[in-house]
Amino acid sequence: MRSRETYTIPKKPNLKYEKQLWGDGFRIVAGLDEAGRGAWAGPVYAAAVVLPTDIRVIKLLGGVQDSKRMTPLQRNRWQGCIQSAAISWTIGSATHQEIDKLGIVPATCLAMQRAIDEMVYEPTYLLVDYIQISGCACPQISLPKGDCRSLSIAAASVLAKTARDSYMVELDRRFPGYGFARHKGYGTRQHHAALAELGPCPAHRYSFRPIKNALKAL
């Protein structure tokens, strides 16, 4: 499955990899993706989605793509469609404290493993966006730009993004002034200005360079 075609980006995510795995006897194929990996604050979220072994799901989820290519309104609209169409879907996360302790990549793997552990049906194969989940017993394929190529991964990207965005809106109420509801913890000008004025709050990732620099400037 690792051929030159692996790096071909289709116009919309499809079931190419899922169908190959279904044909090889792997019936419970879970797509996984994360949200918040590059943010300066808050947890990293991950979602796992198992779609039915029926190619008609392509039509049911025709508007689902990489969550970064969708508006908030589109993501919220398709969130319910994904949850209804999926055989199983779960959300996992790793806190900002775990990110500071472990590093962002291990924490992302931890969030993904937690999503897998919550699944009602144990997956027989994983399709993962970009990274390799270390220590995971289930066979997996790491797909660069997987959220643009695999419908299962794209669906997971939408669920991870909507779940994390909702959390960041709540975090904005707990720590007003930083604009978390607007930028969701990412490194925007507004966020940088708030750090310069207020300093970091307890929800920030203190191991990240911008937060370290903000602390030095106080």
Side-chain angles (χ1 to χ4, degrees), residues 14-159:
N14 55 49
L15 294 172
K16 172 186 173 180
Y17 296 96
E18 289 88 340
K19 287 193 293 184
Q20 288 182 22
L21 290 168
W22 295 338
D24 290 339
F26 299 101
R27 308 302 287 175
I28 307 177
V29 178
L32 286 105
D33 201 5
E34 55 76 25
R37 183 174 169 181
W40 295 355
V44 60
Y45 269 64
V49 174
V50 176
L51 296 178
T53 56
D54 186 339
I55 61 172
R56 289 176 295 183
V57 75
I58 280 275
K59 293 184 179 180
L60 288 176
L61 302 180
V64 173
Q65 54 183 318
D66 170 12
S67 63
K68 295 183 292 296
R69 297 184 177 185
M70 301 171 72
T71 66
L73 186 63
Q74 289 172 332
R75 288 194 293 266
N76 289 333
R77 174 193 170 192
W78 286 100
Q79 174 189 14
C81 297
I82 293 167
Q83 293 169 341
S84 296
I87 291 175
S88 178
W89 63 270
T90 53
I91 305 290
S93 66
T95 66
H96 61 281
Q97 295 100 328
E98 289 172 322
I99 292 169
D100 286 338
K101 180 180 179 180
L102 302 174
I104 186 58
V105 174
T108 301
C109 291
L110 178 61
M112 288 184 170
Q113 186 62 59
R114 285 171 174 166
I116 295 167
D117 291 343
E118 289 296 317
M119 302 194 79
V120 176
Y121 304 104
E122 184 176 351
T124 53
Y125 220 105
L126 307 177
L127 296 172
V128 190
D129 182 51
Y130 194 73
I131 71 172
Q132 192 86 12
I133 305 175
S134 58
C136 182
C138 186
Q140 59 187 292
I141 298 173
S142 173
L143 292 177
K145 299 289 185 181
D147 47 9
C148 296
R149 296 154 56 194
S150 160
L151 184 60
S152 298
I153 297 177
S157 78
V158 172
L159 295 192

